[in-house]
């Protein structure tokens, strides 16, 4: 059973930065081909915002493109998301999970608890 543990969230002011981290443990031991970060704002559906393929190709939702950066360390089985220039509309709970290489929602593993980001103006 794969376990996903997200961390790094917090409360920040508009314009500040955070780095989120996702640790993958359990079985299967290898990271899926494409990993992604998802965000769920209050009373909204969970949306895919960033992906990284096994070859390092990254893609972002238009709402975060140019401000967020996804990376992964396959040896450590971690997937990070750097958040820069944060805006109040970036607030929500952030989750990692698998995704499709063509930037579609495809979560194959059980969801972790997520990490909450709150951005105040």
């Amino acid at each position: 059973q794969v376990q996903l543990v997200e961390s790094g969230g917090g409360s920040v002011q508009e314009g500040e930065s955070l780095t989120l981290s996702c640790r993958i443990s359990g079985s299967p031991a290898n990271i899926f081909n494409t990993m992604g970060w998802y965000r769920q704002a209050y009373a909204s559906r969970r949306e895919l915002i960033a992906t990284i393929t096994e070859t390092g190709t990254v893609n972002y939702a238009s709402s975060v493109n140019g401000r967020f950066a996804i990376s992964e360390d396959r040896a450590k089985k971690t997937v990070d998301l750097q958040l820069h220039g944060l805006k109040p509309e970036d607030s929500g709970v952030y989750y990692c999970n698998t995704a499709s290489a063509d930037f579609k929602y495809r979560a194959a593993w059980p969801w972790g608890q997520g990490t909450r980001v709150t951005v105040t103006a």
Side-chain angles (χ1 to χ4, degrees):
Q1 181 80 354
V2 174
Q3 292 181 317
L4 302 170
V5 179
E6 300 90 353
S7 62
S11 296
V12 296
Q13 296 289 318
E14 185 172 9
E16 293 184 341
S17 301
L18 284 172
T19 297
L20 310 182
S21 185
C22 170
R23 188 178 76 249
I24 304 164
S25 62
S27 178
N30 295 322
I31 293 180
F32 200 71
N33 287 344
T34 298
M35 290 298 298
W37 276 93
Y38 298 77
R39 177 174 69 194
Q40 187 167 21
Y42 178 73
S44 297
R45 300 178 65 177
R46 198 169 299 179
E47 60 172 338
L48 180 63
I49 58 171
T51 60
I52 183 167
T53 69
E54 60 179 341
T55 59
T57 299
V58 299
N59 278 298
Y60 302 95
S62 57
S63 60
V64 305
N65 193 30
R67 299 187 298 119
F68 290 9
I70 187 171
S71 61
E72 67 177 4
D73 185 327
R74 288 184 171 255
K76 295 181 180 179
K77 296 183 180 60
T78 59
V79 184
D80 290 348
L81 186 68
Q82 296 181 36
L83 291 65
H84 301 290
L86 282 162
K87 305 175 182 180
E89 52 264 42
D90 293 320
S91 297
V93 182
Y94 286 69
Y95 304 85
C96 69
N97 212 310
T98 61
S100 72
D102 58 351
F103 203 76
K104 287 186 172 59
Y105 190 123
R106 193 167 77 184
W109 294 335
W111 293 101
Q113 83 289 349
T115 186
R116 182 174 296 277
V117 173
T118 302
V119 185
T120 54

